């Protein structure tokens, strides 16, 4: 048994009601490579060797290559924010913060900067742009895409340090700062994970290796 659930009994129920069963594989791209290997339960499920009459719903980033493991009957792609969604979000954000005049200025900026416009298609990045715009409008409008990402990252770190009561050496991350050093180590871990085709980093495993 597993936490009071009889595995064999559950398997028998699934087999008897196979056509009524829905398997939801949420975050397929975050699945470890060994779990996708041939002979594993998920591989058997996707190939139809296990519960072939059941229904399967998979959510994943496009880069995960779901089509390599199965042929879906229906493929739905979630698109980014449309320009109308972006404007609505910006107005709602600055309405909540009590600074509606900043909303119209940011919307006008989107027409002038393709870099900012492309970034705001993603809701999370749009939120970060709004936060950054609220603090320093010049930072958002000046520079390259890399500069914008660096400024967004700096702002996130600054807020984290403030929340945790940690002193941040400077407003800008100099190459010899503790923050920059920590980011280099984080980037190294991320690269190593990507080379292993992994999208999650096990902190406990990292600590054991140190």
């Amino acid at each position: 048994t597993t936490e009071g659930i009889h595995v064999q009994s559950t398997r028998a129920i699934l087999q008897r009601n196979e056509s009524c069963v829905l398997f939801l594989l949420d975050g397929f791209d975050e699945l470890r490579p060994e779990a996708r290997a041939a002979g594993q339960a998920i591989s058997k499920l996707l190939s139809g060797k296990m519960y072939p009459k059941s229904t399967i719903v998979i959510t994943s980033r496009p880069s995960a290559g779901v089509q390599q493991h199965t042929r879906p009957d229906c493929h739905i792609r979630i698109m980014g924010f449309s320009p109308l969604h972006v404007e609505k979000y910006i107005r709602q954000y600055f309405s909540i913060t009590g600074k509606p005049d900043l909303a119209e200025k940011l919307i006008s900026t989107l027409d002038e900067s393709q870099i900012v416009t492309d970034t705001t298609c993603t809701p999370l990045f749009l939120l970060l742009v709004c936060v950054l715009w609220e603090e320093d409008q010049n930072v958002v409008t000046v520079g390259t895409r890399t500069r914008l990402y660096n400024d967004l990252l700096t702002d996130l770190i600054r807020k984290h340090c403030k929340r945790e009561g940690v002193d941040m050496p400077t407003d800008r991350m100099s190459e010899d700062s503790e923050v920059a050093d920590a980011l280099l180590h984080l980037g190294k871990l991320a690269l190593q994970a990507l080379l292993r085709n992994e999208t999650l980093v096990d902190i406990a495993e990292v600590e054991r290796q140190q």
Side-chain angles (χ1 to χ4, degrees), residues 170-206:
T170 58
D171 288 339
R172 296 273 174 199
M173 292 179 291
S174 60
E175 293 183 0
D176 58 349
S177 70
E178 293 180 6
V179 174
D181 187 53
L183 287 175
L184 283 175
H185 282 294
L186 181 61
K188 181 180 179 180
L189 289 174
L191 176 59
Q192 291 173 342
L194 287 174
L195 292 176
R196 296 193 301 269
N197 196 28
E198 296 178 0
T199 54
L200 291 177
V201 176
D202 189 334
I203 299 300
E205 181 63 27
V206 172

Side-chain angles (χ1 to χ4, degrees), residues 28 53 59 123 149 171 179 182 193:
F28 183 81
K53 296 180 181 179
T59 68
Y149 285 155
D171 288 339
V179 174

Side-chain angles (χ1 to χ4, degrees), residues 1 31 39 45 49 56 60 73 77 88 93 97 101 109 119 123 142 148 150 156 160 172 181 186 199-200:
T1 63
L31 192 65
L45 184 65
K49 295 179 181 179
I56 305 172
S60 169
D73 297 315
R77 185 182 182 90
K88 181 179 179 181
Y93 176 90
T97 60
D101 55 317
T109 300
T119 304
V142 178
L148 177 59
N150 283 338
L156 283 174
H160 172 77
R172 296 273 174 199
D181 187 53
L186 181 61
T199 54
L200 291 177

Side-chain angles (χ1 to χ4, degrees), residues 29-140:
D29 54 301
E30 298 178 0
L31 192 65
R32 292 186 177 279
E34 55 267 26
R36 305 181 193 178
Q40 296 298 317
I42 290 181
S43 178
K44 291 181 180 179
L45 184 65
L46 295 180
S47 63
K49 295 179 181 179
M50 182 185 293
Y51 309 116
K53 296 180 181 179
S54 64
T55 300
I56 305 172
V57 174
I58 303 173
T59 68
S60 169
R61 293 184 182 88
S63 59
V66 175
Q67 290 83 353
Q68 298 176 7
H69 305 277
T70 185
R71 294 182 178 275
D73 297 315
C74 179
H75 183 208
I76 300 175
R77 185 182 182 90
I78 299 176
M79 307 302 292
F81 268 8
S82 70
L84 290 178
H85 290 145
V86 171
E87 291 187 13
K88 181 179 179 181
Y89 185 100
I90 291 173
R91 289 193 174 99
Q92 286 181 339
Y93 176 90
F94 287 104
S95 174
I96 293 173
T97 60
K99 302 175 182 177
D101 55 317
L102 291 181
E104 301 309 318
K105 292 180 181 179
L106 178 54
I107 291 172
S108 298
T109 300
L110 297 182
D111 297 330
E112 303 169 2
S113 174
Q114 189 62 43
I115 292 175
V116 180
T117 300
D118 292 343
T119 304
T120 56
C121 291
T122 303
L124 178 58
F125 279 132
L126 176 55
L127 170 61
L128 296 176
V129 167
C130 288
V131 171
L132 197 58
W133 179 262
E134 187 176 9
E135 295 184 357
D136 189 347
Q137 298 173 32
N138 292 327
V139 170
V140 176

Side-chain angles (χ1 to χ4, degrees), residues 2-51:
T2 302
E3 296 183 358
I5 300 175
H6 291 272
V7 177
Q8 294 299 331
S9 298
T10 301
R11 185 172 294 146
I13 293 173
L14 291 175
Q15 290 173 342
R16 286 199 303 270
N17 301 278
E18 190 175 319
S19 62
C20 301
V21 174
L22 169 65
F23 290 99
L24 176 58
L25 305 182
D26 187 26
F28 183 81
D29 54 301
E30 298 178 0
L31 192 65
R32 292 186 177 279
E34 55 267 26
R36 305 181 193 178
Q40 296 298 317
I42 290 181
S43 178
K44 291 181 180 179
L45 184 65
L46 295 180
S47 63
K49 295 179 181 179
M50 182 185 293
Y51 309 116

Side-chain angles (χ1 to χ4, degrees), residues 152-163:
L152 290 172
L153 181 58
T154 301
D155 190 61
L156 283 174
I157 294 173
R158 184 166 54 245
K159 291 182 181 301
H160 172 77
C161 290
K162 182 178 180 180
R163 184 173 62 249

